[in-house]
Amino acid sequence: MGLWGKRDDMTVHERDPFNAEPPRSALADAPFTPVDTFYSRNHGPVPEADPATWRLEVDGLVDHPLTLSLDDLRTRWDPTDVEVTLECAGNRRAGLTEVRDIPGETPWGPGAISTGRFHGVRLADVLADARPRPGAAHVAFAAPDVSPLARPPQPYGGSVPLAKALGPEVLLAWSMNGAPLPRVHGAPLRAVVPGWIGARSVKWLTRVTVRRTPSDNYFQAVAYRLPPTGTAPGTAAPGAGGLPLGPLTLNCAILRPDDGARLPCGPTPVTGYALAGQGRTVTRVDVSHDSGRTWRRADVNAAAGPWVWQQWRTTLDLPRGELEIVARACDSDGTVMPESPGRLWNPKGYANTSWPRTRVRCG
Protein backbone atom coordinates (compact mmCIF):
# COMPACT_ATOMS: atom_id res chain seq x y z
CA MET A 1 0.00 0.00 0.00
CA GLY A 2 1.05 3.58 -0.60
CA LEU A 3 0.60 6.76 1.38
CA TRP A 4 -2.56 6.94 3.52
CA GLY A 5 -3.47 3.37 2.62
CA LYS A 6 -3.80 4.15 -1.07
CA ARG A 7 -2.84 1.77 -3.86
CA ASP A 8 0.75 1.92 -5.04
CA ASP A 9 -0.10 3.05 -8.56
CA MET A 10 -1.85 6.26 -7.55
CA THR A 11 -0.53 9.39 -9.24
CA VAL A 12 0.61 11.43 -6.25
CA HIS A 13 0.63 15.07 -7.28
CA GLU A 14 1.70 16.23 -3.80
CA ARG A 15 2.69 14.35 -0.66
CA ASP A 16 1.86 17.13 1.83
CA PRO A 17 -0.80 18.26 1.38
CA PHE A 18 -1.71 14.83 0.04
CA ASN A 19 -3.22 15.05 -3.42
CA ALA A 20 -3.55 11.90 -5.50
CA GLU A 21 -5.69 10.28 -8.16
CA PRO A 22 -6.00 6.66 -9.29
CA PRO A 23 -5.02 5.41 -12.74
CA ARG A 24 -7.95 5.81 -15.10
CA SER A 25 -8.21 2.05 -15.64
CA ALA A 26 -8.91 1.58 -11.91
CA LEU A 27 -12.17 3.51 -12.31
CA ALA A 28 -13.34 1.56 -15.37
CA ASP A 29 -16.37 -0.71 -14.93
CA ALA A 30 -16.47 0.09 -11.19
CA PRO A 31 -19.77 1.66 -10.08
CA PHE A 32 -18.27 2.27 -6.63
CA THR A 33 -14.70 3.28 -5.86
CA PRO A 34 -12.81 1.35 -3.15
CA VAL A 35 -11.35 3.53 -0.43
CA ASP A 36 -7.78 2.67 -1.48
CA THR A 37 -8.60 3.97 -4.97
CA PHE A 38 -10.67 7.04 -4.03
CA TYR A 39 -9.03 10.29 -5.09
CA SER A 40 -7.72 12.59 -2.37
CA ARG A 41 -7.77 16.39 -2.49
CA ASN A 42 -6.37 18.33 0.45
CA HIS A 43 -5.30 21.92 1.00
CA GLY A 44 -3.15 21.50 4.11
CA PRO A 45 -1.74 18.78 6.38
CA VAL A 46 -4.26 16.09 7.34
CA PRO A 47 -5.39 16.88 10.91
CA GLU A 48 -5.99 14.33 13.65
CA ALA A 49 -8.85 14.41 16.13
CA ASP A 50 -9.74 12.21 19.10
CA PRO A 51 -13.27 10.94 18.41
CA ALA A 52 -13.94 10.74 22.16
CA THR A 53 -13.36 14.45 22.73
CA TRP A 54 -14.28 15.81 19.30
CA ARG A 55 -17.35 18.08 19.19
CA LEU A 56 -19.39 19.71 16.43
CA GLU A 57 -20.68 23.24 17.06
CA VAL A 58 -23.85 24.34 15.28
CA ASP A 59 -24.26 28.09 15.65
CA GLY A 60 -24.92 31.40 13.92
CA LEU A 61 -28.46 32.50 13.01
CA VAL A 62 -30.19 29.77 15.00
CA ASP A 63 -32.49 29.80 17.99
CA HIS A 64 -30.86 26.78 19.62
CA PRO A 65 -27.08 26.44 19.20
CA LEU A 66 -25.90 22.85 19.53
CA THR A 67 -22.74 21.17 20.77
CA LEU A 68 -22.71 17.57 19.56
CA SER A 69 -20.53 14.53 20.13
CA LEU A 70 -20.35 11.62 17.71
CA ASP A 71 -22.66 9.67 20.02
CA ASP A 72 -25.15 12.54 19.90
CA LEU A 73 -25.15 12.47 16.12
CA ARG A 74 -25.57 8.71 16.04
CA THR A 75 -28.44 8.58 18.53
CA ARG A 76 -30.46 11.82 18.24
CA TRP A 77 -31.38 11.50 14.57
CA ASP A 78 -32.14 8.64 12.21
CA PRO A 79 -29.05 7.72 10.19
CA THR A 80 -29.18 7.28 6.44
CA ASP A 81 -26.97 6.53 3.43
CA VAL A 82 -26.25 8.49 0.29
CA GLU A 83 -24.51 7.23 -2.84
CA VAL A 84 -22.58 10.09 -4.37
CA THR A 85 -19.92 10.88 -6.93
CA LEU A 86 -17.50 13.47 -5.58
CA GLU A 87 -15.57 15.44 -8.21
CA CYS A 88 -12.78 17.95 -7.77
CA ALA A 89 -13.36 21.25 -9.58
CA GLY A 90 -9.96 20.68 -11.22
CA ASN A 91 -10.82 17.24 -12.62
CA ARG A 92 -9.41 16.87 -16.17
CA ARG A 93 -7.38 20.06 -15.81
CA ALA A 94 -4.61 18.41 -17.84
CA GLY A 95 -6.81 18.81 -20.92
CA LEU A 96 -6.83 22.57 -20.41
CA THR A 97 -3.06 22.74 -19.92
CA GLU A 98 -2.71 21.34 -23.45
CA VAL A 99 -4.35 24.54 -24.66
CA ARG A 100 -2.22 26.85 -22.52
CA ASP A 101 -0.07 26.42 -19.45
CA ILE A 102 -1.70 26.89 -16.04
CA PRO A 103 1.11 27.68 -13.58
CA GLY A 104 0.78 26.66 -9.96
CA GLU A 105 -2.22 24.35 -10.41
CA THR A 106 -2.26 20.55 -10.00
CA PRO A 107 -2.45 18.85 -13.44
CA TRP A 108 -5.30 16.50 -12.56
CA GLY A 109 -6.19 13.86 -15.13
CA PRO A 110 -9.65 12.26 -15.29
CA GLY A 111 -9.20 10.53 -11.90
CA ALA A 112 -10.05 13.44 -9.57
CA ILE A 113 -13.49 11.88 -9.21
CA SER A 114 -14.78 8.86 -7.27
CA THR A 115 -18.06 7.34 -6.14
CA GLY A 116 -18.80 6.10 -2.64
CA ARG A 117 -21.55 5.29 -0.18
CA PHE A 118 -21.55 7.59 2.84
CA HIS A 119 -23.43 7.00 6.09
CA GLY A 120 -24.49 9.62 8.62
CA VAL A 121 -27.36 11.95 9.46
CA ARG A 122 -29.11 14.49 7.31
CA LEU A 123 -27.85 18.01 7.88
CA ALA A 124 -31.47 19.13 7.50
CA ASP A 125 -32.46 17.14 10.60
CA VAL A 126 -29.73 18.74 12.69
CA LEU A 127 -30.61 22.21 11.43
CA ALA A 128 -34.29 21.60 12.22
CA ASP A 129 -33.36 21.18 15.87
CA ALA A 130 -31.14 24.26 15.77
CA ARG A 131 -33.98 26.30 14.19
CA PRO A 132 -32.54 28.74 11.63
CA ARG A 133 -33.82 32.29 12.16
CA PRO A 134 -35.48 34.55 9.59
CA GLY A 135 -32.87 35.94 7.24
CA ALA A 136 -30.76 32.77 7.25
CA ALA A 137 -29.63 32.02 3.69
CA HIS A 138 -26.34 30.11 3.81
CA VAL A 139 -24.70 27.34 5.82
CA ALA A 140 -20.94 27.51 6.36
CA PHE A 141 -18.66 24.58 7.18
CA ALA A 142 -15.42 24.99 9.13
CA ALA A 143 -12.52 22.58 9.63
CA PRO A 144 -9.18 22.66 11.50
CA ASP A 145 -6.83 21.90 8.58
CA VAL A 146 -4.74 25.04 8.10
CA SER A 147 -3.85 25.74 4.49
CA PRO A 148 -0.81 27.76 3.44
CA LEU A 149 -2.58 28.41 0.13
CA ALA A 150 -4.80 30.97 1.84
CA ARG A 151 -3.34 34.43 2.25
CA PRO A 152 -2.68 34.62 5.15
CA PRO A 153 -2.81 30.89 6.02
CA GLN A 154 -6.14 29.90 7.56
CA PRO A 155 -8.26 26.82 8.30
CA TYR A 156 -10.28 25.42 5.42
CA GLY A 157 -13.95 26.29 5.04
CA GLY A 158 -16.79 26.88 2.61
CA SER A 159 -20.54 27.23 2.40
CA VAL A 160 -23.65 26.27 0.46
CA PRO A 161 -27.02 28.00 0.23
CA LEU A 162 -29.46 27.06 3.00
CA ALA A 163 -31.84 25.63 0.38
CA LYS A 164 -29.15 23.11 -0.65
CA ALA A 165 -28.18 22.35 2.96
CA LEU A 166 -31.79 21.41 3.68
CA GLY A 167 -31.87 18.90 0.83
CA PRO A 168 -32.37 15.30 2.07
CA GLU A 169 -29.21 14.22 0.24
CA VAL A 170 -26.78 16.41 2.25
CA LEU A 171 -25.15 14.45 5.08
CA LEU A 172 -22.93 14.79 8.10
CA ALA A 173 -21.10 11.49 7.55
CA TRP A 174 -18.92 9.30 9.76
CA SER A 175 -18.79 6.21 7.56
CA MET A 176 -17.60 5.54 4.00
CA ASN A 177 -18.21 2.40 1.96
CA GLY A 178 -19.44 0.51 5.02
CA ALA A 179 -16.43 1.27 7.22
CA PRO A 180 -15.42 4.08 9.57
CA LEU A 181 -14.44 7.22 7.70
CA PRO A 182 -10.65 7.16 7.09
CA ARG A 183 -8.66 10.01 8.52
CA VAL A 184 -7.49 11.17 5.07
CA HIS A 185 -11.14 11.40 3.99
CA GLY A 186 -12.29 13.51 6.92
CA ALA A 187 -12.63 11.46 10.11
CA PRO A 188 -14.28 11.81 12.49
CA LEU A 189 -16.95 13.73 10.53
CA ARG A 190 -17.32 15.34 7.14
CA ALA A 191 -19.97 17.10 5.12
CA VAL A 192 -21.19 15.35 1.97
CA VAL A 193 -22.87 17.69 -0.51
CA PRO A 194 -23.99 15.67 -3.55
CA GLY A 195 -24.13 17.44 -6.88
CA TRP A 196 -21.69 20.21 -5.89
CA ILE A 197 -17.94 20.50 -6.37
CA GLY A 198 -16.00 18.38 -3.90
CA ALA A 199 -14.59 21.52 -2.26
CA ARG A 200 -17.97 22.09 -0.56
CA SER A 201 -17.98 18.62 1.06
CA VAL A 202 -15.76 19.88 3.87
CA LYS A 203 -13.75 17.26 5.78
CA TRP A 204 -12.78 17.11 9.48
CA LEU A 205 -15.85 19.16 10.24
CA THR A 206 -15.89 21.06 13.54
CA ARG A 207 -18.45 23.82 13.02
CA VAL A 208 -21.64 24.44 11.06
CA THR A 209 -22.70 28.10 11.03
CA VAL A 210 -25.97 29.45 9.67
CA ARG A 211 -25.40 32.84 8.02
CA ARG A 212 -27.06 35.59 6.02
CA THR A 213 -24.20 35.62 3.53
CA PRO A 214 -21.82 33.02 2.06
CA SER A 215 -18.74 32.05 4.04
CA ASP A 216 -15.94 34.61 3.99
CA ASN A 217 -13.36 31.80 4.15
CA TYR A 218 -10.62 32.08 1.52
CA PHE A 219 -11.77 28.90 -0.21
CA GLN A 220 -15.25 30.31 -0.68
CA ALA A 221 -14.62 34.02 -1.16
CA VAL A 222 -11.40 33.87 -3.21
CA ALA A 223 -10.56 30.34 -4.37
CA TYR A 224 -12.85 28.02 -6.33
CA ARG A 225 -14.09 30.80 -8.55
CA LEU A 226 -13.91 31.09 -12.33
CA PRO A 227 -11.68 34.13 -12.87
CA PRO A 228 -12.95 36.98 -15.04
CA THR A 229 -12.30 36.75 -18.78
CA GLY A 230 -8.86 38.03 -19.67
CA THR A 231 -7.17 37.16 -16.36
CA ALA A 232 -3.57 36.15 -17.07
CA PRO A 233 -2.16 32.75 -15.99
CA GLY A 234 -0.66 32.83 -12.52
CA THR A 235 -2.52 36.00 -11.53
CA ALA A 236 -5.97 34.57 -10.69
CA ALA A 237 -5.56 34.91 -6.95
CA PRO A 238 -6.77 37.20 -4.15
CA GLY A 239 -8.95 40.02 -5.35
CA ALA A 240 -9.46 38.51 -8.81
CA GLY A 241 -13.23 38.18 -8.30
CA GLY A 242 -15.01 35.84 -10.65
CA LEU A 243 -17.91 33.43 -10.52
CA PRO A 244 -18.12 31.11 -7.46
CA LEU A 245 -18.20 27.42 -8.32
CA GLY A 246 -21.02 25.30 -6.93
CA PRO A 247 -23.21 22.77 -8.75
CA LEU A 248 -21.45 20.25 -10.98
CA THR A 249 -21.99 20.33 -14.71
CA LEU A 250 -22.11 17.56 -17.33
CA ASN A 251 -18.78 15.77 -17.71
CA CYS A 252 -17.39 12.61 -19.26
CA ALA A 253 -14.06 10.76 -19.51
CA ILE A 254 -12.51 7.88 -21.43
CA LEU A 255 -10.95 5.34 -19.06
CA ARG A 256 -9.93 2.57 -21.48
CA PRO A 257 -7.84 2.47 -23.59
CA ASP A 258 -5.24 4.58 -21.88
CA ASP A 259 -3.89 7.71 -23.49
CA GLY A 260 -0.78 6.89 -25.52
CA ALA A 261 -1.57 3.17 -25.71
CA ARG A 262 -0.30 0.98 -28.57
CA LEU A 263 -3.08 -1.34 -29.69
CA PRO A 264 -3.74 -4.02 -32.29
CA CYS A 265 -6.08 -3.03 -35.09
CA GLY A 266 -9.66 -4.22 -35.06
CA PRO A 267 -12.48 -4.37 -32.50
CA THR A 268 -11.41 -2.57 -29.32
CA PRO A 269 -13.45 -2.00 -26.14
CA VAL A 270 -13.74 1.64 -25.09
CA THR A 271 -15.14 2.47 -21.64
CA GLY A 272 -15.60 5.50 -19.46
CA TYR A 273 -17.80 7.43 -17.05
CA ALA A 274 -20.24 10.29 -17.47
CA LEU A 275 -21.78 12.49 -14.78
CA ALA A 276 -24.72 14.78 -15.41
CA GLY A 277 -24.69 16.84 -12.20
CA GLN A 278 -27.50 18.69 -10.41
CA GLY A 279 -29.64 15.57 -10.04
CA ARG A 280 -29.96 14.99 -13.80
CA THR A 281 -29.07 11.79 -15.66
CA VAL A 282 -26.89 11.01 -18.66
CA THR A 283 -29.09 9.99 -21.57
CA ARG A 284 -26.50 9.41 -24.29
CA VAL A 285 -22.76 9.01 -24.88
CA ASP A 286 -21.31 9.03 -28.40
CA VAL A 287 -17.76 7.85 -29.15
CA SER A 288 -15.57 8.47 -32.20
CA HIS A 289 -12.21 7.03 -33.30
CA ASP A 290 -11.58 9.78 -35.88
CA SER A 291 -11.70 12.98 -33.80
CA GLY A 292 -15.46 13.37 -34.21
CA ARG A 293 -16.00 12.88 -37.94
CA THR A 294 -18.04 9.70 -37.35
CA TRP A 295 -19.72 8.52 -34.16
CA ARG A 296 -20.90 5.33 -32.49
CA ARG A 297 -23.46 5.35 -29.71
CA ALA A 298 -22.26 3.74 -26.46
CA ASP A 299 -24.23 1.62 -24.02
CA VAL A 300 -24.81 3.67 -20.86
CA ASN A 301 -25.64 2.13 -17.48
CA ALA A 302 -28.90 3.22 -15.91
CA ALA A 303 -28.38 5.78 -13.17
CA ALA A 304 -28.02 4.15 -9.75
CA GLY A 305 -29.22 7.39 -8.16
CA PRO A 306 -29.54 11.11 -8.81
CA TRP A 307 -26.06 11.96 -7.55
CA VAL A 308 -23.81 9.30 -9.13
CA TRP A 309 -21.93 8.81 -12.36
CA GLN A 310 -22.93 6.36 -15.08
CA GLN A 311 -20.52 3.93 -16.68
CA TRP A 312 -20.55 3.55 -20.46
CA ARG A 313 -18.96 1.18 -22.98
CA THR A 314 -18.75 0.44 -26.68
CA THR A 315 -16.54 -1.37 -29.17
CA LEU A 316 -14.77 0.53 -31.94
CA ASP A 317 -13.21 -1.06 -35.03
CA LEU A 318 -9.86 0.70 -34.97
CA PRO A 319 -7.89 1.06 -38.22
CA ARG A 320 -4.13 1.23 -38.52
CA GLY A 321 -2.41 4.48 -37.64
CA GLU A 322 -2.41 7.32 -35.13
CA LEU A 323 -5.95 7.83 -33.84
CA GLU A 324 -7.74 10.25 -31.55
CA ILE A 325 -10.69 8.71 -29.71
CA VAL A 326 -13.18 11.30 -28.45
CA ALA A 327 -16.46 11.10 -26.55
CA ARG A 328 -19.38 13.42 -25.84
CA ALA A 329 -22.29 13.08 -23.41
CA CYS A 330 -25.82 14.46 -23.33
CA ASP A 331 -28.01 14.79 -20.23
CA SER A 332 -31.72 14.66 -19.47
CA ASP A 333 -32.01 18.44 -19.94
CA GLY A 334 -30.58 18.19 -23.45
CA THR A 335 -27.22 19.68 -22.48
CA VAL A 336 -24.33 18.49 -24.69
CA MET A 337 -20.64 18.78 -23.81
CA PRO A 338 -18.74 21.48 -25.73
CA GLU A 339 -16.17 20.25 -28.23
CA SER A 340 -13.25 22.56 -27.63
CA PRO A 341 -11.22 22.88 -24.42
CA GLY A 342 -10.05 26.21 -25.79
CA ARG A 343 -13.53 27.66 -25.20
CA LEU A 344 -13.35 26.59 -21.55
CA TRP A 345 -9.75 27.48 -20.72
CA ASN A 346 -9.36 29.60 -17.61
CA PRO A 347 -6.25 30.51 -15.58
CA LYS A 348 -7.28 28.25 -12.68
CA GLY A 349 -8.06 25.25 -14.87
CA TYR A 350 -11.50 24.62 -13.42
CA ALA A 351 -14.47 22.83 -14.96
CA ASN A 352 -13.02 21.17 -18.04
CA THR A 353 -16.21 19.69 -19.48
CA SER A 354 -15.04 19.53 -23.11
CA TRP A 355 -14.89 16.31 -25.11
CA PRO A 356 -12.35 13.90 -23.56
CA ARG A 357 -9.61 12.85 -25.99
CA THR A 358 -7.43 9.74 -25.93
CA ARG A 359 -4.66 9.30 -28.48
CA VAL A 360 -3.61 5.77 -29.45
CA ARG A 361 -1.52 4.04 -32.09
CA CYS A 362 -2.88 0.94 -33.81
CA GLY A 363 -0.94 -1.66 -35.75
Side-chain angles (χ1 to χ4, degrees), residues 43-116:
H43 301 81
V46 174
E48 185 173 9
D50 180 357
T53 58
W54 171 93
R55 295 293 184 269
L56 176 69
E57 302 291 336
V58 181
D59 60 12
L61 287 177
V62 297
D63 286 335
H64 298 293
L66 304 173
T67 299
L68 303 168
S69 67
L70 278 177
D71 284 343
D72 292 332
L73 287 164
R74 289 170 174 151
T75 59
R76 287 181 58 172
W77 299 278
D78 293 333
T80 190
D81 292 335
V82 65
E83 297 172 356
V84 57
T85 297
L86 296 179
E87 182 182 23
C88 176
N91 190 36
R92 300 185 55 223
R93 179 180 283 134
L96 297 182
T97 63
E98 293 181 10
V99 175
R100 188 179 180 188
D101 191 27
I102 304 175
E105 299 295 334
T106 302
W108 294 102
I113 184 172
S114 298
T115 298

Side-chain angles (χ1 to χ4, degrees), residues 57-62 138-142 159 207-211:
E57 302 291 336
V58 181
D59 60 12
L61 287 177
V62 297
H138 298 268
V139 176
F141 305 117
S159 65
R207 187 176 298 274
V208 172
T209 302
V210 179
R211 299 169 50 102

Side-chain angles (χ1 to χ4, degrees), residues 200 217-226 237 244-245 348 350:
R200 306 304 177 222
N217 185 274
Y218 175 89
F219 294 97
Q220 181 77 40
V222 175
Y224 291 109
R225 304 174 79 90
L226 280 176
L245 297 171
K348 296 295 286 184
Y350 291 141

Side-chain angles (χ1 to χ4, degrees), residues 56-325:
L56 176 69
E57 302 291 336
V58 181
D59 60 12
L61 287 177
V62 297
D63 286 335
H64 298 293
L66 304 173
T67 299
L68 303 168
S69 67
L70 278 177
D71 284 343
D72 292 332
L73 287 164
R74 289 170 174 151
T75 59
R76 287 181 58 172
W77 299 278
D78 293 333
T80 190
D81 292 335
V82 65
E83 297 172 356
V84 57
T85 297
L86 296 179
E87 182 182 23
C88 176
N91 190 36
R92 300 185 55 223
R93 179 180 283 134
L96 297 182
T97 63
E98 293 181 10
V99 175
R100 188 179 180 188
D101 191 27
I102 304 175
E105 299 295 334
T106 302
W108 294 102
I113 184 172
S114 298
T115 298
R117 181 180 290 108
F118 291 88
H119 180 79
V121 294
R122 292 183 177 92
L123 176 57
D125 291 344
V126 177
L127 291 176
D129 278 12
R131 290 191 182 177
R133 295 175 181 170
H138 298 268
V139 176
F141 305 117
D145 52 319
V146 175
S147 174
L149 300 176
R151 306 175 187 182
Q154 64 178 257
Y156 189 84
S159 65
V160 297
L162 178 61
K164 177 62 178 179
L166 295 178
E169 72 277 5
V170 179
L171 294 192
L172 303 177
W174 57 78
S175 175
M176 176 181 181
N177 289 0
L181 193 64
R183 181 178 159 200
V184 75
H185 288 293
L189 191 79
R190 68 173 296 164
V192 177
V193 183
W196 282 53
I197 60 168
R200 306 304 177 222
S201 290
V202 176
K203 295 177 286 189
W204 310 295
L205 198 59
T206 57
R207 187 176 298 274
V208 172
T209 302
V210 179
R211 299 169 50 102
R212 296 183 186 276
T213 58
S215 170
D216 54 6
N217 185 274
Y218 175 89
F219 294 97
Q220 181 77 40
V222 175
Y224 291 109
R225 304 174 79 90
L226 280 176
T229 301
T231 304
T235 65
L243 179 70
L245 297 171
L248 295 174
T249 53
L250 178 66
N251 212 341
C252 173
I254 298 168
L255 299 176
R256 289 182 181 146
D258 204 354
D259 192 48
R262 298 181 64 90
L263 304 170
C265 299
T268 302
V270 181
T271 63
Y273 66 74
L275 176 66
Q278 301 188 62
R280 300 191 295 262
T281 57
V282 175
T283 56
R284 180 169 180 153
V285 174
D286 298 315
V287 188
S288 170
H289 73 271
D290 53 15
S291 302
R293 289 187 292 275
T294 62
W295 295 92
R296 182 178 180 86
R297 188 166 182 171
D299 295 322
V300 182
N301 287 0
W307 311 109
V308 298
W309 61 14
Q310 294 165 250
Q311 306 285 316
W312 58 263
R313 68 200 57 77
T314 192
T315 299
L316 298 181
D317 191 9
L318 299 183
R320 182 180 302 276
E322 303 277 349
L323 307 175
E324 183 181 62
I325 301 172

